[in-house]
Amino acid sequence: MSAGTTGTDSGADSGTAASPGAGEWPLWEVFVRSRRGLSHVHAGSLHAPDAAMALRNARDLYTRRQEGVSVWVVPSAAVTASSPDEKDPFFAPAADKPYRHPTFYDLPEGVRNL
Amino acid sequence: MPETITERGSRSGAEAASGPRTDPGAAGPAPAQEAAFEAKIAADERIEPRDWMPDAYRATLVRQIAQHAHSEIIGMQPEANWLTRAPSLRRKAILLAKVQDEAGHGLYLYSAAETLGTGRDELLDKLHAGRQKYSSIFNYPTLTWADVGAIGWLVDGAAIINQVPLCRCSYGPYARAMVRICKEESFHQRQGYELLHTLAHGTPEQHAMAQDAVDRWWWPSLMMFGPPDDESAHSAQSMAWKIKRHSNDELRQRFVDICVPQAEILGLALPDPDLKWNEERGQHDFGAIDWAEFKEVLRGNGPCNDQRLDRRRRAHEDGAWVREAAAAYAAKRALGAAGPGEAA
């Protein structure tokens, strides 16, 4: 099954926040909360040598017009992703269970507040 | 090609990071994968980084997104030329914000390219080596302050016409980057238009300066839409893949039709004696574009090609110590955090 493959199974050179060094700075995923009451939403990615710089770069790159009140940065290598293939059996179990939706049920004529 | 796979995994975004891998030994694309890809395109669904895609689709996107990203960061130069000589603090603050936006646009686009498995450093190396192109428009000089206005109105205006359809491009990360960019571009265009309008309604000298800038930028702006449809090398395939939604000539015509009334309100003339309304077509006719000039500039013989690339290389080299210092500091901090005796 493809579910649960790690974010980078490409080896040790994947450059996380803990292993900065020569070469390209590691990649970070940026999540922005646009205003209080809403979730953080993925905005994009950027390179930075460490978490503090990633946060500053994210501020400059993704919130130049007050797009956010809060920002998260996460090392891209730390993300675990499911397979994108829609035919993948990973999501299949949900497909044959329409009874999970309220529209599945027939209601008698005249019933209210249900 | 195990190297490619390693590259893709280590350098690209989390979206791309754990993509379904083609078996290094496998020969040719599986027909089922190709059919699934074609079906998504036909249904107007987006292709996402970890989806299977034809190698040529991937290569086309990398080429186009890289060229686009390079254009954004090279495009900082002609306008930055006037930062220290902006005529007021208001204009200076606006121009600074605009130039900073261009850097941001470059970064959004490099990120989008990275989801395809090509690292930003690799793309920058190719730009610096002259192996990847940027828009030929930025090889023209900004001779006067009015050029800042003409760039905003015409160059950013043309870019918007090109870019709005890219918001519906079949590749998800590119389309999402373009949505963000288009939102920001409209300020760029308006500040340019306002600047030109102010000059055009100022002293006779200022009006002449504005007219001169429009005279010089009009034709290169029309070239920004690329070669005519029958000579465009990549158009047909890109249209089929829904990377491109409209033809070069179609977008160019749209731009001309939009600009004519805007020029009238500016009180400036567009430098084309053949430009006139065609009642029958419901569009403007316009004069022949000098494609020989376009090809010369593309070939590297524009007024500023060498200067732009030199400046770009120098900025990269001069900034090396900053990148190294930041990496060294991060390494030191990481070591300190891991070390046993470091009670902070």
Side-chain angles (χ1 to χ4, degrees):
Chain A
M1 287 286 287
S2 52
T5 48
T6 56
T8 52
D9 43 1
S10 54
D13 65 327
S14 60
T16 64
S19 62
E24 202 161 23
W25 290 341
L27 198 61
W28 302 76
E29 300 301 320
V30 179
F31 299 82
V32 175
R33 184 202 294 285
S34 56
R35 58 186 167 83
R36 292 182 171 278
L38 297 180
S39 313
H40 288 75
V41 173
H42 186 239
S45 58
L46 52 77
H47 289 275
D50 60 23
M53 283 302 294
L55 213 48
R56 278 171 181 270
N57 290 354
R59 191 262 324 260
D60 291 344
L61 190 55
Y62 291 107
T63 64
R64 285 195 301 283
R65 287 173 176 76
Q66 295 182 297
E67 289 95 336
V69 295
S70 167
V71 177
W72 292 345
V73 290
V74 179
S76 304
V79 175
T80 303
S82 67
S83 161
D85 190 343
E86 282 157 33
K87 289 197 218 74
D88 191 287
F90 189 58
F91 294 107
D96 59 352
K97 295 177 181 63
Y99 44 82
R100 282 177 170 156
H101 298 278
T103 49
F104 178 76
Y105 298 93
D106 293 327
L107 292 185
E109 199 76 22
V111 66
R112 301 170 68 183
N113 298 323
L114 190 69
Chain B
M1 296 180 294
E3 296 86 355
T4 319
I5 288 157
T6 307
E7 193 98 319
R8 216 166 271 172
S10 64
R11 288 196 162 174
S12 44
E15 288 189 296
S18 54
R21 312 229 180 288
T22 24
D23 184 315
Q33 289 177 316
E34 188 137 34
F37 170 84
E38 293 296 345
K40 283 191 198 105
I41 296 282
D44 243 339
E45 281 185 44
R46 297 291 177 266
I47 305 299
E48 294 295 343
R50 298 175 56 235
D51 290 333
W52 184 90
M53 62 188 87
D55 288 344
Y57 178 82
R58 186 185 298 276
T60 297
L61 279 168
V62 169
R63 181 182 53 79
Q64 180 171 337
I65 299 173
Q67 180 169 330
H68 198 159
H70 299 332
S71 301
E72 298 284 357
I73 63 165
I74 294 282
M76 295 166 75
Q77 292 184 33
E79 292 180 288
N81 180 37
W82 284 93
L83 277 174
T84 56
R85 290 169 290 166
S88 70
L89 189 55
R90 177 178 181 271
R91 295 287 179 198
K92 186 173 186 168
I94 290 169
L95 189 55
L96 268 172
K98 180 180 191 291
V99 172
Q100 190 192 10
D101 270 357
E102 306 298 359
H105 295 178
L107 290 175
Y108 304 153
L109 288 162
Y110 286 121
S111 288
E114 288 189 291
T115 65
L116 292 159
T118 309
R120 189 175 72 191
D121 282 0
E122 186 182 334
L123 297 176
L124 285 175
D125 286 347
K126 283 183 178 161
L127 169 65
H128 298 157
R131 285 166 52 213
Q132 279 180 341
K133 298 208 178 304
Y134 53 89
S135 177
S136 60
I137 192 82
F138 300 115
N139 291 315
Y140 291 87
T142 42
L143 302 179
T144 72
W145 169 251
D147 288 26
V148 173
I151 289 180
W153 176 42
L154 295 174
V155 176
D156 291 315
I160 289 171
I161 304 267
N162 263 330
Q163 290 171 354
V164 166
L166 285 173
C167 297
R168 295 186 298 122
C169 155
S170 63
Y171 187 59
Y174 191 25
R176 291 193 284 276
M178 292 319 304
V179 168
R180 192 175 281 276
I181 288 173
C182 284
K183 272 187 200 158
E184 300 183 353
E185 284 288 351
S186 87
F187 132 61
H188 296 183
Q189 193 188 17
R190 284 190 184 195
Q191 65 83 34
Y193 193 80
E194 187 208 66
L195 194 166
L196 273 186
H197 191 267
T198 305
L199 285 177
H201 293 80
T203 65
E205 289 81 4
Q206 287 172 325
H207 183 95
M209 188 163 84
Q211 182 61 59
D212 169 65
V214 169
D215 289 347
R216 283 181 289 107
W217 287 95
W218 173 250
W219 290 106
S221 298
L222 292 188
M223 296 175 195
M224 284 177 69
F225 297 93
D229 293 346
D230 46 6
E231 290 171 31
S232 179
H234 307 289
S235 276
Q237 181 59 73
S238 286
M239 298 270 273
W241 277 330
K242 297 184 182 172
I243 294 173
K244 216 175 146 104
R245 297 278 184 167
H246 305 278
S247 80
N248 295 353
D249 286 333
E250 195 183 337
L251 293 174
R252 188 166 15 244
Q253 180 71 54
R254 189 179 296 174
F255 178 69
V256 171
D257 291 334
I258 285 173
C259 284
V260 170
Q262 291 177 349
E264 276 168 26
I265 292 173
L266 284 176
L268 297 173
L270 295 173
D272 179 358
D274 298 323
L275 184 66
K276 59 173 185 296
W277 179 251
N278 182 324
E279 192 67 53
E280 208 172 304
R281 290 200 303 131
Q283 291 171 326
H284 291 86
D285 291 334
F286 55 97
I289 294 169
D290 183 358
W291 292 112
E293 175 183 322
F294 178 71
K295 282 172 192 154
E296 271 305 291
V297 178
L298 268 192
R299 212 171 283 145
N301 301 324
C304 302
N305 293 57
D306 293 341
Q307 182 188 331
R308 299 288 186 240
L309 260 190
D310 282 350
R311 176 85 186 270
R312 174 62 220 151
R313 286 192 203 103
R314 214 162 358 103
H316 192 69
E317 286 158 17
D318 291 351
W321 72 270
V322 179
R323 296 190 294 276
E324 284 158 18
Y329 181 70
K332 191 174 132 190
R333 297 259 301 194
L335 214 62
E342 291 281 330

